[in-house]
Amino acid sequence: MRLIRRYSSQMHGNYKKAILRYGVYVGLIFSFVLIFRLLLVLPVSQPMSYVENILQLVLLFVFVYLYKRQLPERRINFKEAYTVALGSAVVGSVIYGMVLYLYVLYIDPEMQTRCLEIQQRANVNGEFSPEELQNMVKPSYIAGSAIILNSVMAIMWAMVVAIFLRNERAVVVPPKEKKRKKKSLN
């Protein structure tokens, strides 16, 4: 335990409200881009692509910056920036997954065929049977994989955003003071 540094940091704003608000915005923007790509005759052929990854990074940066601007003295530490970015991305990915499910089911059922072709090309060694490949391109599987992939990428993007937008460093608390504070609380 001595190797672990103990930091004392304080959340300055209402980050829970910001996570929900910005998460809904992220999900709606992702959904808009999904429909817009269909209208541009560039339909989606996989749950997550470079477009969604770059869009997620840009949106997280913008929304954490907007959150930082509303804070008193515009001070934000790494933990608060990371929490807002990651929470917003996860809420947005769930909304995007639900919209993607409806998209595959009703708007663009051909996406399943495009995903199946990609799965068949990736199945060079014959690891999966045709029935297993068919199960992998069900709308629920596509939506679930979009949620998972989006959330995994959010871990990395949230860290990048937090590193660039933090302007307050947490104070390192010596172990003796940490123990003294615990005893005084009990």
Side-chain angles (χ1 to χ4, degrees), residues 81-162:
Y82 185 76
T83 302
V84 171
L86 182 63
S88 299
V90 170
V91 170
S93 69
V94 170
I95 292 171
Y96 174 66
M98 292 187 301
V99 170
L100 187 62
Y101 177 78
L102 296 173
Y103 175 83
V104 173
L105 207 57
Y106 299 113
I107 298 173
D108 187 16
E110 293 298 315
M111 182 178 174
Q112 287 179 295
T113 308
R114 292 190 301 272
C115 287
L116 181 61
E117 290 172 3
I118 291 173
Q119 292 290 347
Q120 287 171 341
R121 281 187 264 147
N123 191 26
V124 176
N125 297 334
E127 299 156 351
F128 301 106
S129 68
E131 296 83 30
E132 290 174 326
L133 289 176
Q134 283 290 0
N135 288 334
M136 287 182 175
V137 295
K138 288 183 178 178
S140 58
Y141 181 84
I142 292 172
S145 62
I147 292 171
I148 291 170
L149 291 171
N150 210 342
S151 298
V152 167
M153 288 304 295
I155 294 169
M156 183 180 69
W157 293 140
M159 192 171 297
V160 169
V161 167

Side-chain angles (χ1 to χ4, degrees), residues 44-58:
V44 178
S45 60
Q46 54 191 357
M48 285 294 291
S49 66
Y50 293 115
V51 172
E52 285 84 9
N53 285 329
I54 300 302
L55 179 65
Q56 185 179 40
L57 176 62
V58 170

Side-chain angles (χ1 to χ4, degrees), residues 6-74:
R6 295 184 173 111
Y7 293 97
S8 173
S9 60
Q10 176 184 3
M11 302 286 226
H12 298 292
N14 188 355
Y15 64 94
K16 293 176 185 176
K17 182 179 174 183
I19 287 171
L20 289 176
R21 179 186 320 141
Y22 297 138
V24 169
Y25 292 157
V26 168
L28 293 176
I29 291 170
F30 265 77
S31 303
F32 174 75
V33 168
L34 181 71
I35 302 299
F36 187 68
R37 286 179 67 181
L38 180 68
L39 295 175
L40 287 177
V41 192
L42 297 169
V44 178
S45 60
Q46 54 191 357
M48 285 294 291
S49 66
Y50 293 115
V51 172
E52 285 84 9
N53 285 329
I54 300 302
L55 179 65
Q56 185 179 40
L57 176 62
V58 170
L59 290 176
L60 292 181
F61 192 86
V62 167
F63 288 136
V64 173
Y65 179 76
L66 290 174
Y67 174 76
K68 177 182 168 182
R69 285 192 54 189
Q70 73 179 3
L71 291 176
E73 300 177 16
R74 295 183 179 172

Side-chain angles (χ1 to χ4, degrees), residues 1-10 79 169-185:
M1 290 299 281
R2 286 186 173 173
L3 295 177
I4 299 174
R5 287 189 165 178
R6 295 184 173 111
Y7 293 97
S8 173
S9 60
Q10 176 184 3
K79 181 173 84 174
R169 294 194 184 266
V171 179
V172 178
V173 179
K176 291 178 184 177
E177 282 187 37
K178 190 78 167 179
K179 288 179 185 176
R180 203 175 314 139
K181 286 182 183 180
K182 276 187 179 180
K183 286 181 182 178
S184 67
L185 291 175

